[in-house]
Amino acid sequence: MTVSQTVELRATPNSPPSDSKQRVGEFLKTLQDNICQKLEQVDGGAQFKQDEWERPEGGGGRSRVMTNGNVFEQGGVNYSEVWGETLPPSILNQRPEAAGHRWFATGTSMVLHPRNPYIPTIHLNYRYFEAGPVWWFGGGIDLTPYYPFLEDVVHFHSTLKEACDRNHPEYYPTFKLWCDEYFYLKHRQETRGVGGIFFDYQDGLGALYQGPDPKGPASQHSAQVGLPDRRSWDELFTFVQACGNAFLPAYVPIAEKHRNDEYGERERNFQLYRRGRYVEFNLVYDRGTIFGLQTNGRTESILMSLPPLVRWEYGYEPQAGTREAQLYDTFLKPQDWLSGAVQA
Amino acid sequence: MTVSQTVELRATPNSPPSDSKQRVGEFLKTLQDNICQKLEQVDGGAQFKQDEWERPEGGGGRSRVMTNGNVFEQGGVNYSEVWGETLPPSILNQRPEAAGHRWFATGTSMVLHPRNPYIPTIHLNYRYFEAGPVWWFGGGIDLTPYYPFLEDVVHFHSTLKEACDRNHPEYYPTFKLWCDEYFYLKHRQETRGVGGIFFDYQDGLGALYQGPDPKGPASQHSAQVGLPDRRSWDELFTFVQACGNAFLPAYVPIAEKHRNDEYGERERNFQLYRRGRYVEFNLVYDRGTIFGLQTNGRTESILMSLPPLVRWEYGYEPQAGTREAQLYDTFLKPQDWLSGAVQA
């Protein structure tokens, strides 16, 4: 398909149903409920505490935080529904049709920092925007292990791929590459973890990849795919529901498997050190975090993604041949985890 | 004075001596030496380890780091001398005359994270730029206490004021306000600490304040001062030397005073929590850090400012009437510390 066809398709409305905001909001609130309920059960100790908050400019949310659990040293699951007059320039560049229109956004986001260094940190975020004539879904999920267990990564990616494949055969291949591109620490030349899926600006029109790097693997793959058949609002909502509902089966078995693994000071120190990369990513690169902080968002809800305890160590390098080195050499580089080619 | 006069003055060269780079470089290296020598003596345990490094695009530096000392849990003192083809747009906006010219920059920067929560964290940075027809000095020093001791803050600011006053009566009043403006965490509505002095783009021409906020107290004060008499390169270099040499007398007595203060888990936890603000400032706001990370600087040297151990805690608020609350209520707001009006 050509560029002119893309523009033509975008100009043809692909309308959401009249109750779109309510339906997405209900799903995202239920997702928050289901996740919190299951995580409390897995933890078996701590419970989530909820703060409801309002945003002066419009909207609000409910933040839920668990601290000092048996399994989860800290976990935050946040739901919000906010609106305003003008979207920021970074978004209007991508969706100029939204200029001059009031916007609405709703989303559920989560970060879990487990206590045991053999359980990976996990992040999830799904969101929905409407602004005048345009709407889109975005979000994703990515896994950040401290120690390399290939079978965990394969389980995680397989579960995501299944959820994606039920909706479109090119979702997983494209959004997996987009995730590797997004969760990348340029100054460290490392991925944040082993990735997952990430997507944005999904309105059923245009190319699957709508990210900033026209030369990256995600963009190239998306160009090979070409312009897929138009997908309706309901099809995309079904896809996002599948992604959200894939979290518990993708992650909980990994947490359960390692919850009683024995570890010592070495593993704990490495976990605290690697958590520093999470802080660096969220404060230096993450668009949601930076946008929130600069636009009078609720600071405590935005920064509940930061780990409860973190170390930095000047000049640290893992010793060759150790599991820590294996993390760097294999797991912090983009990999095709489901190809069977990764050795670990 | 009017704007047209400013332009006229800038157009008239205020030339540096032919050996300007060598003289500033020698001073900044000696400053690094003197600071490291004295800090090792104060610490009485750990010593600095030096890494020399080269920058592929031109130049290099020597990073010195002390870890696990008696007094200093971590300390980094970095000297660098780098050059390149094109300054970044953020600097060219301020100094368009530098466009199309090769640039040279040299600087010494330092951050100390003491172990005892009663000793403040301290940051210092002095730097010098040349690019074609323009040159300027910049830098400053600021103190970040964990517990409120008014007499320490008064000693620190008095020592800086003395060093400034020997050079120009308006340096301290203007650069103190500029420091409050620069080291401010907007998303927390807190100053980073109790400030100090900060300045940039000092070339002996134009207004004392050259920062981004035309409505802030620093800008307003600078406008009241008007355009000071032209200052030569040598006068400004003498001023920067006075600032650099003021560090040891400004800080060491505070560290010595508190080095044996007894503290418990409460004070340690509060220190680790407050260190999180240092991370937030450096990664979200600090122009030097962000510029360095985004332009292929030496990551380990840039991030040696980050604390060795840090806590985040969702929803923390100090209990009314405690010393922790006094820090927030008085010490994390801009204050005229030398007026005698601050009660603590």
Side-chain angles (χ1 to χ4, degrees), chain A residues 290-334:
Chain A
I290 295 164
F291 171 70
L293 293 182
Q294 290 177 345
T295 57
N296 206 21
R298 185 175 186 260
T299 296
E300 288 295 319
S301 296
I302 298 165
L303 296 186
M304 79 188 185
S305 64
L306 300 182
L309 195 64
V310 188
R311 278 177 64 233
W312 273 273
E313 180 179 330
Y314 174 81
Y316 170 82
E317 285 185 22
Q319 209 185 326
T322 60
R323 291 172 302 163
E324 290 84 1
Q326 197 192 4
L327 186 90
Y328 282 77
D329 296 342
T330 304
F331 286 66
L332 301 181
K333 299 184 194 312

CSV table of all heavy atoms in Angstrom, one decimal, chain A residues 290-334:
chain,number,residue,atom,x,y,z
A,290,ILE,N,8.0,11.1,32.3
A,290,ILE,CA,8.5,12.4,32.1
A,290,ILE,C,7.3,13.4,31.8
A,290,ILE,O,7.2,14.4,32.4
A,290,ILE,CB,9.5,12.5,31.0
A,290,ILE,CG1,10.8,11.7,31.4
A,290,ILE,CG2,9.9,13.9,30.6
A,290,ILE,CD1,11.7,11.4,30.2
A,291,PHE,N,6.4,12.9,31.0
A,291,PHE,CA,5.2,13.7,30.7
A,291,PHE,C,4.4,14.0,32.0
A,291,PHE,O,4.0,15.1,32.2
A,291,PHE,CB,4.3,13.0,29.7
A,291,PHE,CG,3.0,13.6,29.4
A,291,PHE,CD1,2.9,14.9,28.8
A,291,PHE,CD2,1.8,13.0,29.9
A,291,PHE,CE1,1.7,15.5,28.7
A,291,PHE,CE2,0.6,13.6,29.7
A,291,PHE,CZ,0.5,14.9,29.1
A,292,GLY,N,4.2,12.9,32.8
A,292,GLY,CA,3.5,13.1,34.0
A,292,GLY,C,4.1,14.1,35.0
A,292,GLY,O,3.4,15.0,35.5
A,293,LEU,N,5.4,14.0,35.1
A,293,LEU,CA,6.1,14.9,36.1
A,293,LEU,C,6.1,16.3,35.6
A,293,LEU,O,6.0,17.2,36.4
A,293,LEU,CB,7.6,14.4,36.3
A,293,LEU,CG,7.8,13.1,36.9
A,293,LEU,CD1,9.3,12.8,37.1
A,293,LEU,CD2,7.1,13.0,38.3
A,294,GLN,N,6.2,16.5,34.3
A,294,GLN,CA,6.2,17.9,33.8
A,294,GLN,C,4.9,18.5,33.6
A,294,GLN,O,4.8,19.7,33.4
A,294,GLN,CB,7.0,17.9,32.4
A,294,GLN,CG,8.5,17.6,32.6
A,294,GLN,CD,9.2,17.5,31.3
A,294,GLN,OE1,8.6,17.4,30.2
A,294,GLN,NE2,10.5,17.5,31.3
A,295,THR,N,3.8,17.7,33.8
A,295,THR,CA,2.5,18.3,33.6
A,295,THR,C,1.6,18.2,34.8
A,295,THR,O,0.4,18.0,34.7
A,295,THR,CB,1.8,17.6,32.4
A,295,THR,OG1,1.7,16.2,32.6
A,295,THR,CG2,2.5,17.9,31.1
A,296,ASN,N,2.2,18.2,36.0
A,296,ASN,CA,1.4,18.3,37.2
A,296,ASN,C,0.6,17.0,37.4
A,296,ASN,O,-0.5,17.1,37.9
A,296,ASN,CB,0.5,19.5,37.1
A,296,ASN,CG,0.2,20.0,38.5
A,296,ASN,OD1,0.9,19.7,39.5
A,296,ASN,ND2,-0.9,20.7,38.6
A,297,GLY,N,1.1,15.9,37.0
A,297,GLY,CA,0.5,14.6,37.4
A,297,GLY,C,0.7,14.3,38.9
A,297,GLY,O,1.3,15.1,39.6
A,298,ARG,N,0.0,13.2,39.3
A,298,ARG,CA,0.2,12.9,40.8
A,298,ARG,C,1.5,12.2,41.0
A,298,ARG,O,1.7,11.0,40.7
A,298,ARG,CB,-1.0,12.0,41.2
A,298,ARG,CG,-0.9,11.7,42.7
A,298,ARG,CD,-2.1,11.0,43.2
A,298,ARG,NE,-2.1,10.8,44.6
A,298,ARG,CZ,-1.7,9.7,45.3
A,298,ARG,NH1,-1.3,8.7,44.6
A,298,ARG,NH2,-1.8,9.7,46.6
A,299,THR,N,2.5,12.9,41.5
A,299,THR,CA,3.9,12.5,41.6
A,299,THR,C,4.0,11.1,42.2
A,299,THR,O,4.7,10.2,41.7
A,299,THR,CB,4.7,13.5,42.3
A,299,THR,OG1,4.8,14.7,41.6
A,299,THR,CG2,6.2,13.0,42.5
A,300,GLU,N,3.3,10.9,43.4
A,300,GLU,CA,3.5,9.6,44.1
A,300,GLU,C,2.9,8.5,43.2
A,300,GLU,O,3.5,7.4,43.3
A,300,GLU,CB,2.7,9.7,45.4
A,300,GLU,CG,3.5,10.6,46.5
A,300,GLU,CD,4.8,10.0,46.9
A,300,GLU,OE1,5.0,8.8,47.0
A,300,GLU,OE2,5.8,10.8,47.0
A,301,SER,N,1.9,8.7,42.5
A,301,SER,CA,1.4,7.6,41.6
A,301,SER,C,2.3,7.3,40.4
A,301,SER,O,2.5,6.2,40.0
A,301,SER,CB,0.0,7.9,41.1
A,301,SER,OG,-0.9,8.0,42.1
A,302,ILE,N,2.9,8.4,39.9
A,302,ILE,CA,3.8,8.2,38.7
A,302,ILE,C,5.1,7.5,39.2
A,302,ILE,O,5.6,6.6,38.5
A,302,ILE,CB,4.2,9.6,38.2
A,302,ILE,CG1,2.9,10.3,37.6
A,302,ILE,CG2,5.2,9.4,37.1
A,302,ILE,CD1,3.2,11.8,37.4
A,303,LEU,N,5.6,7.9,40.4
A,303,LEU,CA,6.9,7.3,40.8
A,303,LEU,C,6.7,6.1,41.7
A,303,LEU,O,7.7,5.6,42.2
A,303,LEU,CB,7.7,8.4,41.5
A,303,LEU,CG,8.1,9.6,40.7
A,303,LEU,CD1,9.0,10.6,41.4
A,303,LEU,CD2,8.8,9.2,39.4
A,304,MET,N,5.5,5.5,41.7
A,304,MET,CA,5.4,4.3,42.5
A,304,MET,C,6.1,3.1,41.7
A,304,MET,O,6.2,2.0,42.2
A,304,MET,CB,4.0,4.0,42.9
A,304,MET,CG,3.1,3.4,41.8
A,304,MET,SD,1.4,3.4,42.5
A,304,MET,CE,0.6,2.6,41.1
A,305,SER,N,6.5,3.4,40.4
A,305,SER,CA,7.2,2.5,39.6
A,305,SER,C,8.7,2.3,40.1
A,305,SER,O,9.3,1.3,39.8
A,305,SER,CB,7.3,2.9,38.2
A,305,SER,OG,8.0,4.1,38.0
A,306,LEU,N,9.2,3.3,40.9
A,306,LEU,CA,10.6,3.2,41.4
A,306,LEU,C,10.7,2.2,42.5
A,306,LEU,O,9.9,2.0,43.3
A,306,LEU,CB,11.0,4.6,41.8
A,306,LEU,CG,11.0,5.7,40.7
A,306,LEU,CD1,11.5,7.0,41.2
A,306,LEU,CD2,11.7,5.2,39.5
A,307,PRO,N,11.9,1.5,42.5
A,307,PRO,CA,12.0,0.4,43.4
A,307,PRO,C,12.2,0.9,44.9
A,307,PRO,O,12.6,2.0,45.1
A,307,PRO,CB,13.4,-0.3,43.0
A,307,PRO,CG,13.6,0.3,41.6
A,307,PRO,CD,13.0,1.6,41.6
A,308,PRO,N,11.9,0.0,45.8
A,308,PRO,CA,11.9,0.4,47.2
A,308,PRO,C,13.4,0.6,47.7
A,308,PRO,O,13.6,1.4,48.7
A,308,PRO,CB,11.2,-0.7,48.0
A,308,PRO,CG,11.3,-1.9,47.1
A,308,PRO,CD,11.3,-1.3,45.7
A,309,LEU,N,14.3,-0.1,47.2
A,309,LEU,CA,15.7,0.0,47.6
A,309,LEU,C,16.6,-0.2,46.4
A,309,LEU,O,16.3,-1.2,45.6
A,309,LEU,CB,16.0,-1.0,48.7
A,309,LEU,CG,17.3,-0.8,49.5
A,309,LEU,CD1,17.3,0.5,50.3
A,309,LEU,CD2,17.5,-2.0,50.4
A,310,VAL,N,17.6,0.6,46.2
A,310,VAL,CA,18.4,0.6,45.0
A,310,VAL,C,19.8,0.9,45.3
A,310,VAL,O,20.1,1.7,46.2
A,310,VAL,CB,17.9,1.7,44.0
A,310,VAL,CG1,18.6,1.6,42.6
A,310,VAL,CG2,16.4,1.7,43.8
A,311,ARG,N,20.8,0.3,44.6
A,311,ARG,CA,22.2,0.6,44.7
A,311,ARG,C,22.7,1.1,43.4
A,311,ARG,O,22.3,0.7,42.3
A,311,ARG,CB,23.0,-0.8,45.0
A,311,ARG,CG,23.0,-1.3,46.4
A,311,ARG,CD,23.8,-2.6,46.4
A,311,ARG,NE,25.1,-2.4,46.0
A,311,ARG,CZ,25.8,-3.0,45.0
A,311,ARG,NH1,25.2,-4.0,44.3
A,311,ARG,NH2,27.0,-2.8,44.7
A,312,TRP,N,23.7,2.0,43.5
A,312,TRP,CA,24.6,2.3,42.4
A,312,TRP,C,26.0,2.0,42.8
A,312,TRP,O,26.3,2.2,43.9
A,312,TRP,CB,24.4,3.8,41.9
A,312,TRP,CG,23.4,4.0,40.9
A,312,TRP,CD1,23.4,3.9,39.6
A,312,TRP,CD2,22.0,4.4,41.2
A,312,TRP,NE1,22.2,4.2,39.0
A,312,TRP,CE2,21.3,4.5,40.0
A,312,TRP,CE3,21.3,4.7,42.4
A,312,TRP,CZ2,20.0,4.9,39.9
A,312,TRP,CZ3,20.0,5.1,42.3
A,312,TRP,CH2,19.3,5.1,41.1
A,313,GLU,N,26.8,1.5,41.8
A,313,GLU,CA,28.2,1.2,42.1
A,313,GLU,C,29.0,1.6,40.9
A,313,GLU,O,28.8,1.1,39.8
A,313,GLU,CB,28.3,-0.3,42.4
A,313,GLU,CG,29.7,-0.8,42.7
A,313,GLU,CD,29.8,-2.3,42.9
A,313,GLU,OE1,28.8,-2.9,43.4
A,313,GLU,OE2,30.8,-2.9,42.6
A,314,TYR,N,29.9,2.5,41.2
A,314,TYR,CA,30.8,3.0,40.1
A,314,TYR,C,31.6,1.9,39.5
A,314,TYR,O,32.3,1.1,40.1
A,314,TYR,CB,31.7,4.1,40.6
A,314,TYR,CG,32.7,4.6,39.7
A,314,TYR,CD1,32.4,5.6,38.7
A,314,TYR,CD2,34.0,4.1,39.7
A,314,TYR,CE1,33.3,6.0,37.8
A,314,TYR,CE2,35.0,4.6,38.8
A,314,TYR,CZ,34.6,5.5,37.8
A,314,TYR,OH,35.5,6.0,36.9
A,315,GLY,N,31.6,1.8,38.1
A,315,GLY,CA,32.5,0.9,37.4
A,315,GLY,C,32.2,-0.6,37.5
A,315,GLY,O,33.0,-1.4,37.2
A,316,TYR,N,31.0,-1.0,38.0
A,316,TYR,CA,30.7,-2.4,38.2
A,316,TYR,C,30.7,-3.1,36.8
A,316,TYR,O,30.1,-2.6,35.9
A,316,TYR,CB,29.3,-2.6,38.8
A,316,TYR,CG,28.9,-4.1,38.8
A,316,TYR,CD1,29.4,-5.0,39.7
A,316,TYR,CD2,28.1,-4.5,37.8
A,316,TYR,CE1,29.0,-6.3,39.6
A,316,TYR,CE2,27.7,-5.8,37.7
A,316,TYR,CZ,28.2,-6.7,38.6
A,316,TYR,OH,27.8,-8.1,38.5
A,317,GLU,N,31.3,-4.2,36.8
A,317,GLU,CA,31.2,-5.1,35.6
A,317,GLU,C,31.1,-6.6,36.1
A,317,GLU,O,31.9,-6.9,37.0
A,317,GLU,CB,32.4,-5.0,34.7
A,317,GLU,CG,32.4,-3.7,33.9
A,317,GLU,CD,33.5,-3.6,32.9
A,317,GLU,OE1,34.1,-4.7,32.5
A,317,GLU,OE2,33.8,-2.5,32.5
A,318,PRO,N,30.3,-7.4,35.5
A,318,PRO,CA,30.1,-8.7,36.0
A,318,PRO,C,31.4,-9.5,35.6
A,318,PRO,O,32.0,-9.3,34.6
A,318,PRO,CB,28.9,-9.3,35.3
A,318,PRO,CG,28.8,-8.4,34.0
A,318,PRO,CD,29.3,-7.1,34.4
A,319,GLN,N,31.7,-10.5,36.5
A,319,GLN,CA,32.9,-11.4,36.2
A,319,GLN,C,32.5,-12.4,35.1
A,319,GLN,O,31.5,-13.0,35.1
A,319,GLN,CB,33.2,-12.1,37.5
A,319,GLN,CG,34.6,-12.5,37.7
A,319,GLN,CD,34.9,-13.3,38.9
A,319,GLN,OE1,34.2,-13.1,39.9
A,319,GLN,NE2,35.8,-14.3,38.9
A,320,ALA,N,33.5,-12.5,34.2
A,320,ALA,CA,33.2,-13.4,33.0
A,320,ALA,C,32.9,-14.8,33.5
A,320,ALA,O,33.4,-15.3,34.5
A,320,ALA,CB,34.5,-13.5,32.1
A,321,GLY,N,31.9,-15.4,32.8
A,321,GLY,CA,31.5,-16.8,33.1
A,321,GLY,C,30.5,-17.0,34.2
A,321,GLY,O,30.0,-18.1,34.4
A,322,THR,N,30.1,-15.9,34.9
A,322,THR,CA,29.1,-16.0,35.9
A,322,THR,C,27.7,-15.8,35.3
A,322,THR,O,27.5,-15.4,34.2
A,322,THR,CB,29.3,-14.8,37.0
A,322,THR,OG1,29.2,-13.6,36.3
A,322,THR,CG2,30.7,-14.9,37.6
A,323,ARG,N,26.7,-16.1,36.2
A,323,ARG,CA,25.3,-15.9,35.7
A,323,ARG,C,25.0,-14.4,35.5
A,323,ARG,O,24.2,-14.1,34.7
A,323,ARG,CB,24.3,-16.5,36.8
A,323,ARG,CG,24.4,-18.0,36.9
A,323,ARG,CD,23.5,-18.5,38.0
A,323,ARG,NE,24.0,-17.9,39.3
A,323,ARG,CZ,23.4,-17.8,40.4
A,323,ARG,NH1,22.2,-18.3,40.5
A,323,ARG,NH2,23.9,-17.3,41.5
A,324,GLU,N,25.7,-13.6,36.3
A,324,GLU,CA,25.5,-12.1,36.1
A,324,GLU,C,26.0,-11.7,34.7
A,324,GLU,O,25.4,-10.9,34.0
A,324,GLU,CB,26.2,-11.4,37.2
A,324,GLU,CG,25.6,-11.5,38.6
A,324,GLU,CD,26.0,-12.8,39.4
A,324,GLU,OE1,26.9,-13.5,38.8
A,324,GLU,OE2,25.6,-13.0,40.5
A,325,ALA,N,27.1,-12.3,34.3
A,325,ALA,CA,27.7,-12.0,33.0
A,325,ALA,C,26.8,-12.5,31.9
A,325,ALA,O,26.6,-11.9,30.9
A,325,ALA,CB,29.1,-12.6,32.8
A,326,GLN,N,26.2,-13.7,32.2
A,326,GLN,CA,25.2,-14.3,31.2
A,326,GLN,C,24.0,-13.4,31.0
A,326,GLN,O,23.5,-13.2,29.9
A,326,GLN,CB,24.8,-15.7,31.6
A,326,GLN,CG,24.2,-16.4,30.5
A,326,GLN,CD,23.5,-17.7,30.9
A,326,GLN,OE1,23.4,-18.0,32.1
A,326,GLN,NE2,23.0,-18.5,29.9
A,327,LEU,N,23.6,-12.7,32.1
A,327,LEU,CA,22.5,-11.8,31.9
A,327,LEU,C,22.9,-10.7,30.9
A,327,LEU,O,22.1,-10.4,30.0
A,327,LEU,CB,22.1,-11.1,33.3
A,327,LEU,CG,20.9,-10.3,33.2
A,327,LEU,CD1,19.6,-11.1,33.5
A,327,LEU,CD2,20.9,-9.1,34.2
A,328,TYR,N,24.0,-10.1,31.1
A,328,TYR,CA,24.5,-9.0,30.2
A,328,TYR,C,24.7,-9.5,28.8
A,328,TYR,O,24.3,-8.9,27.8
A,328,TYR,CB,25.8,-8.4,30.7
A,328,TYR,CG,25.6,-7.4,31.9
A,328,TYR,CD1,25.4,-7.9,33.2
A,328,TYR,CD2,25.7,-6.1,31.7
A,328,TYR,CE1,25.2,-7.0,34.2
A,328,TYR,CE2,25.5,-5.2,32.8
A,328,TYR,CZ,25.3,-5.7,34.0
A,328,TYR,OH,25.1,-4.8,35.0
A,329,ASP,N,25.4,-10.7,28.7
A,329,ASP,CA,25.8,-11.1,27.4
A,329,ASP,C,24.6,-11.6,26.5
A,329,ASP,O,24.6,-11.4,25.3
A,329,ASP,CB,26.8,-12.3,27.5
A,329,ASP,CG,28.1,-11.9,28.2
A,329,ASP,OD1,28.3,-10.6,28.2
A,329,ASP,OD2,28.8,-12.7,28.7
A,330,THR,N,23.6,-12.1,27.1
A,330,THR,CA,22.5,-12.7,26.3
A,330,THR,C,21.2,-12.1,26.6
A,330,THR,O,20.4,-11.7,25.7
A,330,THR,CB,22.4,-14.2,26.6
A,330,THR,OG1,23.6,-14.8,26.4
A,330,THR,CG2,21.3,-14.9,25.8
A,331,PHE,N,20.8,-11.9,27.9
A,331,PHE,CA,19.5,-11.4,28.2
A,331,PHE,C,19.2,-9.9,28.1
A,331,PHE,O,18.1,-9.5,28.0
A,331,PHE,CB,19.1,-11.9,29.6
A,331,PHE,CG,18.9,-13.4,29.7
A,331,PHE,CD1,19.9,-14.3,29.4
A,331,PHE,CD2,17.6,-13.9,29.9
A,331,PHE,CE1,19.6,-15.7,29.5
A,331,PHE,CE2,17.3,-15.3,30.0
A,331,PHE,CZ,18.4,-16.2,29.7
A,332,LEU,N,20.3,-9.1,28.0
A,332,LEU,CA,20.1,-7.7,27.9
A,332,LEU,C,20.4,-7.2,26.5
A,332,LEU,O,20.8,-6.1,26.2
A,332,LEU,CB,21.0,-6.9,28.9
A,332,LEU,CG,20.7,-7.3,30.4
A,332,LEU,CD1,21.6,-6.5,31.3
A,332,LEU,CD2,19.2,-7.0,30.7
A,333,LYS,N,20.3,-8.2,25.5
A,333,LYS,CA,20.4,-7.8,24.1
A,333,LYS,C,19.1,-8.3,23.5
A,333,LYS,O,18.5,-9.3,24.0
A,333,LYS,CB,21.6,-8.5,23.5
A,333,LYS,CG,22.9,-8.2,24.0
A,333,LYS,CD,24.0,-8.9,23.2
A,333,LYS,CE,25.4,-8.8,23.9
A,333,LYS,NZ,25.8,-7.5,24.4
A,334,PRO,N,18.6,-7.6,22.4
A,334,PRO,CA,17.4,-8.1,21.8
A,334,PRO,C,17.6,-9.5,21.2
A,334,PRO,O,18.6,-9.8,20.6
A,334,PRO,CB,17.2,-7.1,20.6
A,334,PRO,CG,17.9,-5.9,21.0
A,334,PRO,CD,19.1,-6.4,21.8
